[in-house]
Amino acid sequence: MTAIRALIGLGNPGQQYEHTRHNAGAWFIEAFARACNTPLRPEKKFFGQYAKITYQGHELHLLVPTTFMNRSGQAVSSLAKFFKFPTSAFLVAHDELDIPSGQARLKQGGGHGGHNGLRDIISAQGNDREFMRLRLGIDHPGNAKLVTNHVLSAPGKAERQSIDDAIDASINVLPLLLQGDSARAMSQLHSIK
């Protein structure tokens, strides 16, 4: 397995989207940056908010694209090209309709599952899907027609707390993931209900 070198959190830019469920991936990066006392700063060449940190002996690049979700690949591919990272060196955090709020799942590779941010990253990386995903559950509204409104709405207080708890649990398994022990990281994270 390729060592993870960059953590990317997907979302939409601007205050109107900041607190919406679709920004759960961005919330993960923001929470991790806060935990590391590292501010994210605008970085034009990576089309996003960026920071470089050393975490438990690992050099990591943190990025929240400031492009819209369906243009996330622009930010990811610019980071990949600049540092000459393979796609497999990325952990991409994103909201996931098929997982209940308050749960998070790690997954290596796979398709985009209809997620526009993942679709654009896969496309921008020449159809390379071999990156690790951190899927942060936001629940499904129950009807496909309600999905857009659901992901672009803010969760209630209790739901937001459950998502934040899942983010904290995800941060707690990062050391295992960075050591290359994805099986144990998944086992630990996936056991949280």
Side-chain angles (χ1 to χ4, degrees):
M1 189 181 121
T2 310
I4 289 171
R5 305 292 306 280
L7 309 181
I8 294 132
L10 302 187
N12 280 311
Q15 284 186 316
Q16 73 269 39
Y17 297 110
E18 194 179 336
H19 301 291
T20 65
R21 292 179 182 92
H22 219 16
N23 276 39
W27 299 344
F28 167 75
I29 297 297
E30 290 160 1
F32 183 55
R34 276 194 306 274
C36 297
N37 294 313
T38 303
L40 295 163
R41 301 189 194 286
E43 181 49 78
K44 283 194 177 98
K45 69 176 173 269
F46 301 141
F47 304 94
Q49 298 281 333
Y50 169 80
K52 181 177 155 187
I53 64 165
T54 299
Y55 176 73
Q56 299 195 357
H58 301 273
E59 185 180 276
L60 291 175
H61 301 265
L62 310 182
L63 180 65
V64 175
T66 48
T67 55
F68 279 94
M69 183 68 85
N70 62 353
R71 298 289 296 129
S72 299
Q74 183 182 23
V76 174
S77 65
S78 65
L79 188 75
K81 284 177 185 144
F82 187 85
F83 291 110
K84 298 180 172 53
F85 290 153
T87 308
S88 54
F90 291 113
L91 170 68
V92 177
H94 63 91
D95 58 305
E96 178 58 67
L97 287 161
D98 297 331
I99 296 174
S101 292
Q103 292 184 24
R105 297 285 179 265
L106 287 162
K107 179 182 177 185
Q108 179 73 46
H112 56 70
H115 193 288
N116 288 333
L118 294 180
R119 181 186 279 122
D120 197 58
I121 290 169
I122 291 166
S123 172
Q125 291 300 103
N127 214 28
D128 187 343
R129 303 153 185 263
E130 287 311 303
F131 53 91
M132 180 73 74
R133 298 103 191 277
L134 172 62
R135 305 159 71 213
L136 296 161
I138 60 164
D139 269 332
H140 197 287
N143 184 319
K145 292 185 177 126
L146 302 175
V147 164
T148 301
N149 187 50
H150 179 72
V151 300
L152 296 178
S153 299
K157 194 173 178 183
E159 186 189 349
R160 175 63 198 255
Q161 185 59 57
S162 74
I163 294 169
D164 286 342
D165 290 345
I167 285 170
D168 291 343
S170 303
I171 290 170
N172 288 339
V173 303
L174 265 183
L176 289 171
L177 208 52
L178 296 173
Q179 290 158 24
D181 198 346
S182 57
R184 265 183 71 205
M186 286 180 187
S187 172
Q188 194 172 311
L189 187 61
H190 299 184
S191 68
I192 297 164
K193 299 288 179 228

